[in-house]
Amino acid sequence: MTDKPRTTHVPLNELDEQGRKLHFRSILDSVPDAMIVTDESGVMLAFSRAAEALFGYTQQEMLGQPVNVLMAGRDRANHDNYIGNYMTTGKRQIIGIGRVVMAAKADGTLFPIDLKIGEARIGEHFLFTAFIRDLTEQQRAELRIQEMQSELVHFSRLSAVGTMASALAHELNQPLTAVANYLEASRDLLDSPDPETKEILREALSEAARQAVRAGEIVRKLRSYVSRGEVDMRTVHLRPLLLDAIALSRISRDHADIPVNLELAVADQRVQADPIQVQQVVINLIRNAMDAMDGVDDARIRVRTLSPDEAGFVAIDVCDNGPGLPAEMKEAIFKPFATTKSQGMGLGLSICQTIVEAHGGEIRAITPPEGGTCFRFTLRADTGKT
Ligand code: ADP
């Protein structure tokens, strides 16, 4: 036999047995999905090249083995019953329908697959052909989308803080007015200190104290609403975190077309951080930069990371080429409610500071000589091996 392709036309059904085997083998070698053929007792009769790559077994190792070695959990134990049930009842649970199940690789890793099974009847016997597609990547992508969605929910909550703050002012007004009234009444009562007024005085003062505590609780509620509780520290890869933050900062934004560059001093820098909270910081800084550059020609934003310093902290800069910090704000920018924007709450930077400091880092504004504004914050570099 020669390796040269033959040019004479041979219909498939006229192939001799050797030809059919070769043809079947070429299918097994080239079919893009993992393909496994079993008999009705679940013993494997064919195992494609893609199946070898997917499961980490060779065809030699698998032929003659029960197919449930590739299955995980309950499916592994129950597979014989599944086939038995189908053979006696003819009821299709998976054949021709397809299903997502867990499978096991040779090294024991479990992973999700999309399993489709076809059947062929040959005389008294059945052959089952399974087509298997690895869903690991797809599930990872879905997980990522879910995470992005929860981040967005958190972000829209943060944007809602603006709306909430006016409600808050309203709510705070009531206990604070009450405190003022009780104290004024108490002051007047001091003029006639008989035992009866003393008792009223005591009540008025304790009521004032109660209202003051209530006001404190309202403020505490706002803080936990914004900071979403504890810092959930873990190892975080900075690059994807910053890329996501850049993408999120563009959502529903007037200046979303301002280019944002990312420069990394270390390609795969890892830090110890709560990723969602750190994203919040970056998003806030980028959005402030966008606001500051309203009307600026050639507006640009640069997000860049520096190599870890001697103390093991990585600096992250968000820089713009806007007009710089307003003179009257230089001292006050991190103070709550300090704002120069008509619609601003002045909470963004104070929230950023709370988050960065809860991470053990620092945040400050830098005024570069060439103009614009940079905000620099630091996070602890992760030196672990993982
Ligand atoms: P808000 O954005 O609601 O005003 P922030 O605390 O985020 O609250 O910002 C406080 C103030 O700091 C802003 O009102 C603005 O005056 C100033 N500021 C923040 N970022 C920049 C920047 N990149 N360039 C110029 N000024 C800025």
Side-chain angles (χ1 to χ4, degrees):
M1 226 174 106
T2 116
D3 282 333
K4 270 192 170 167
R6 287 166 42 178
T7 47
T8 38
H9 175 68
V10 181
L12 274 183
N13 57 1
E14 283 178 34
L15 285 177
D16 59 12
E17 201 187 336
Q18 174 69 1
R20 275 203 297 273
K21 272 191 183 152
L22 284 172
H23 179 238
F24 185 51
R25 188 62 246 167
S26 83
I27 291 176
L28 287 179
D29 283 348
S30 55
V31 59
D33 284 350
M35 173 181 154
I36 298 168
V37 181
T38 73
D39 66 13
E40 62 222 7
S41 60
V43 166
M44 288 183 267
L45 306 176
F47 199 75
S48 75
R49 175 88 31 105
E52 291 182 325
L54 184 59
F55 286 97
Y57 289 111
T58 62
Q59 144 146 284
Q60 271 75 26
E61 287 172 293
M62 286 296 97
L63 296 190
Q65 296 293 322
V67 72
N68 61 4
V69 298
L70 305 174
M71 297 176 179
R74 276 191 316 159
D75 290 342
R76 176 176 277 204
N78 292 339
H79 184 252
D80 290 353
N81 296 346
Y82 296 167
I83 301 186
N85 281 348
Y86 175 60
M87 301 302 282
T88 48
T89 64
K91 229 171 104 194
R92 295 177 165 195
Q93 303 278 11
I94 183 163
I95 293 169
I97 300 167
R99 198 191 282 172
V100 175
V101 294
M102 292 303 283
K105 294 189 192 247
D107 65 7
T109 318
L110 302 185
F111 66 110
I113 57 167
D114 180 18
L115 175 63
K116 290 201 167 58
I117 301 180
E119 63 175 325
R121 193 182 187 134
I122 297 164
E124 290 291 294
H125 295 286
F126 280 89
L127 286 182
F128 296 104
T129 306
F131 290 95
I132 294 151
R133 190 163 287 178
D134 187 357
L135 294 181
T136 313
E137 267 315 308
Q138 188 179 327
Q139 289 208 345
R140 202 172 283 153
E142 277 165 10
L143 206 69
R144 191 70 213 97
I145 289 167
Q146 273 173 17
E147 279 174 6
M148 293 274 276
Q149 274 167 347
S150 80
E151 286 163 14
L152 262 179
V153 168
H154 177 46
F155 188 70
S156 61
R157 266 199 324 181
L158 192 62
S159 319
V161 165
T163 326
M164 220 185 85
S166 59
L168 176 83
H170 184 76
E171 274 203 56
L172 277 180
N173 210 20
Q174 201 228 332
L176 292 180
T177 312
V179 169
N181 289 344
Y182 283 120
L183 291 178
E184 273 171 23
S186 305
R187 186 193 55 211
D188 295 345
L189 285 170
L190 281 175
D191 294 337
S192 48
D194 56 75
E196 204 182 324
T197 43
K198 244 173 129 182
E199 192 44 42
I200 300 173
L201 190 62
R202 192 188 311 276
E203 266 175 41
L205 286 176
S206 48
E207 191 53 31
R210 229 168 51 79
Q211 292 294 334
V213 169
R214 216 186 112 205
E217 267 164 15
I218 293 171
V219 172
R220 242 193 319 281
K221 253 193 236 155
L222 173 75
R223 274 188 43 199
S224 65
Y225 180 83
V226 172
S227 73
R228 233 175 58 157
E230 296 293 296
V231 181
D232 176 14
M233 289 287 223
R234 53 188 125 131
T235 302
V236 178
H237 294 259
L238 256 188
R239 186 171 180 274
L241 180 144
L242 294 173
L243 285 173
D244 286 352
I246 292 170
L248 286 166
S249 65
R250 291 173 182 280
I251 293 173
S252 68
R253 209 56 190 175
D254 290 345
H255 308 298
D257 53 341
I258 296 178
V260 184
N261 284 345
L262 177 62
E263 299 159 27
L264 300 158
V266 177
D268 186 20
Q269 180 68 58
R270 282 165 300 196
V271 290
Q272 272 295 318
D274 179 327
I276 293 179
Q277 295 206 7
V278 170
Q279 262 182 11
Q280 212 63 67
V281 172
V282 180
I283 291 168
N284 265 320
L285 296 178
I286 295 178
R287 293 198 156 190
N288 273 348
M290 288 176 171
D291 289 343
M293 290 194 292
D294 195 14
V296 170
D297 287 339
D298 189 27
R300 274 172 288 119
I301 298 173
R302 280 169 60 204
V303 178
R304 77 176 171 175
T305 66
L306 307 187
S307 306
D309 63 12
E310 281 177 2
F313 280 86
V314 177
I316 297 141
D317 289 353
V318 178
C319 299
D320 61 59
N321 57 339
L325 291 174
E328 74 274 21
M329 292 298 288
K330 286 219 164 93
E331 301 301 314
I333 42 173
F334 291 106
K335 296 215 170 91
F337 307 113
T339 183
T340 53
K341 301 173 195 168
S342 56
Q343 301 291 317
M345 272 304 307
L347 281 177
L349 288 175
S350 92
I351 291 169
C352 290
Q353 189 179 39
T354 311
I355 293 175
V356 172
E357 289 178 356
H359 279 73
E362 287 174 358
I363 183 166
R364 65 198 167 96
I366 300 169
T367 316
E370 69 272 17
T373 311
C374 278
F375 279 88
R376 169 169 295 179
F377 69 97
T378 55
L379 293 173
R380 187 175 290 285
D382 186 284
T383 47
K385 290 272 179 280
T386 51

